Amino acid sequence: GLNKTSNIEKLNLNDNKMEELKYSYFENFVYLGTISINNNQIKFIDIKTFLKMRFIKTILLESNFIKFILTGTFSNLRNLKELNLKNNFLYNFNFFNMYSSLTSLDLENNQIENLTRDHFVYLKRLEYLSLSRNPLIKIDKNLFSELYNLKKVFLNKAEIKSINAMTFENTSLESIDLSNNCLNIVFEKFNSSKFKNIKEIRLSNTSLIDLKILNLDTFKNLEILDLSLNDLNYSFSRLNLSNKMREIN
C-alpha cells in the first residue's frame, strides 16, 4: 500500500499503469478532497476502496478499462460532488444504493445502452450529466423525472433516434446538447413555464428538416441555438426568437 500521508488533500495518480484499486492503497488518506487516477489500466475497483475518504469531493477515473462498478462503491461519501468516468467500458451505472450529494456525473464514451429512472433515484442533486457517445438509441420520457436540479445535459453522439420533450419537464434545464443523433424529436409538448431557464440548445447534424417542431417561441431565455448541418426548409425571419439570443448556427 501507499505510505501514511493522512494530511494530504489532493492525490494525483494519473498516467500510471495501475490495474486495480484496493482499500489497502488508500486507507490512510482520510482527508483527501480530490483523487485523480486518469489514464491508467484499471479494470477492478474494490467496493471498499473509498471507504475512509469521508471528505472526498472529486473522484476522477477517466480513460481506464472499467466495465462495471459494484453497487455501494461510492456509499457513505456524503461530500462527493464530482465523479468522472469518461472513456471507460461501463455498460451500466446502477452503483448508487443510497442518496448522494453528487452534482456532476460524466459518463461520456462508455457502453451504456439501457437507462431507466431507477438509475437516477439517488442522484436528486445532480446538476451536470454527460451521457454522450453511449449507444443509448432511446431515451425514456420518465428518465430524468426526479432530477429537479439538472441544468446541463449532454446526449450528443448517443445514437438516439427517439426522444420526448416530457423527458426534461421536471428539470431545471439550462443547456442541452443533442447533436449528431438521427432524431425524431417531440418538442411540440414543451411547456414554456417548465423550460423558462433554458439558454442553450444544440441540435447540429440531427436530420432536422422543419423548425416548426421545435416550437422556439417557448424558449424565452434562449441565448444559443445550434442547428448546423441539417436540411432545414424554414425561414428564420418567420421565427419569434428570444430577444436574449446571442448566437445562431
Side-chain angles (χ1 to χ4, degrees), residues 6 27-28 44 46 61 80 98 111 161 166 202 223 232:
S6 59
E27 60 181 317
N28 296 306
F44 176 74
D46 179 1
L61 292 164
L80 185 63
M98 61 185 301
Q111 301 298 318
K161 296 180 180 179
M166 302 294 287
R202 296 195 176 274
E223 297 178 5
L232 293 170

Side-chain angles (χ1 to χ4, degrees), residues 78-239:
R78 297 181 180 179
N79 293 298
L80 185 63
K81 299 295 184 183
E82 178 183 1
L83 178 59
N84 187 339
L85 290 160
K86 180 179 178 180
N87 298 333
N88 277 284
F89 296 89
L90 288 167
Y91 54 85
N92 208 332
F93 76 99
N94 55 348
F95 34 77
F96 289 94
N97 63 348
M98 61 185 301
Y99 287 103
S100 171
S101 58
L102 200 69
T103 58
S104 176
L105 177 60
D106 194 336
L107 293 163
E108 180 179 348
N109 195 26
N110 278 277
Q111 301 298 318
I112 299 169
E113 294 185 15
N114 300 308
L115 291 174
T116 69
R117 61 186 296 179
D118 292 339
H119 287 91
F120 299 99
V121 70
Y122 298 111
L123 300 174
K124 296 183 184 296
R125 296 186 182 181
L126 206 61
E127 297 179 7
Y128 172 101
L129 174 64
S130 178
L131 289 164
S132 301
R133 295 196 290 164
N134 280 280
L136 296 175
I137 301 178
K138 183 180 179 181
I139 300 293
D140 188 84
K141 69 177 182 179
N142 296 315
L143 187 60
F144 305 133
S145 60
E146 296 188 46
L147 298 184
Y148 308 113
N149 296 301
L150 191 62
K151 295 179 180 179
K152 293 187 177 183
V153 181
F154 294 85
L155 294 164
N156 48 301
K157 294 184 179 179
E159 303 181 24
I160 300 171
K161 296 180 180 179
S162 177
I163 195 165
N164 192 302
M166 302 294 287
T167 303
F168 310 101
E169 191 171 46
N170 292 333
T171 69
S172 300
L173 201 63
E174 294 180 0
S175 175
I176 183 169
D177 190 345
L178 285 162
S179 300
N180 297 294
N181 290 292
C182 187
L183 292 176
N184 176 21
I185 307 175
V186 188
F187 274 119
E188 300 98 322
K189 296 180 181 179
F190 268 26
N191 182 309
S192 59
S193 63
K194 297 287 186 180
F195 296 93
K196 60 183 179 181
N197 296 318
I198 200 159
K199 298 178 181 179
E200 180 178 8
I201 300 175
R202 296 195 176 274
L203 291 164
S204 173
N205 192 27
T206 51
S207 301
L208 278 177
I209 59 174
D210 194 341
L211 278 180
K212 288 183 289 186
I213 67 170
L214 291 175
N215 193 17
L216 289 172
D217 295 355
T218 296
F219 309 109
K220 302 301 182 183
N221 292 301
L222 191 61
E223 297 178 5
I224 298 173
L225 177 62
D226 186 356
L227 298 168
S228 58
L229 302 175
N230 286 292
D231 294 318
L232 293 170
N233 58 9
Y234 197 79
S235 171
F236 281 96
S237 63
R238 296 167 61 188
L239 297 177

Side-chain angles (χ1 to χ4, degrees), residues 2 11 13 18-30 32 35 37 42-54 56 59-61 66 68-77 83:
L2 299 174
L11 182 61
L13 294 169
M18 300 177 68
E19 296 185 357
E20 60 183 2
L21 300 180
K22 294 182 178 181
Y23 170 77
S24 59
Y25 294 175
F26 308 106
E27 60 181 317
N28 296 306
F29 290 86
V30 295
L32 274 182
I35 185 168
I37 320 177
I42 297 168
K43 297 179 181 178
F44 176 74
I45 302 175
D46 179 1
I47 194 172
K48 295 182 179 180
T49 297
F50 307 106
L51 186 63
K52 290 289 188 71
M53 300 182 190
R54 293 173 296 169
I56 197 76
I59 297 176
L60 307 177
L61 292 164
I66 304 168
F68 68 94
I69 295 176
L70 296 172
T71 301
T73 298
F74 305 107
S75 296
N76 299 314
L77 302 182
L83 178 59

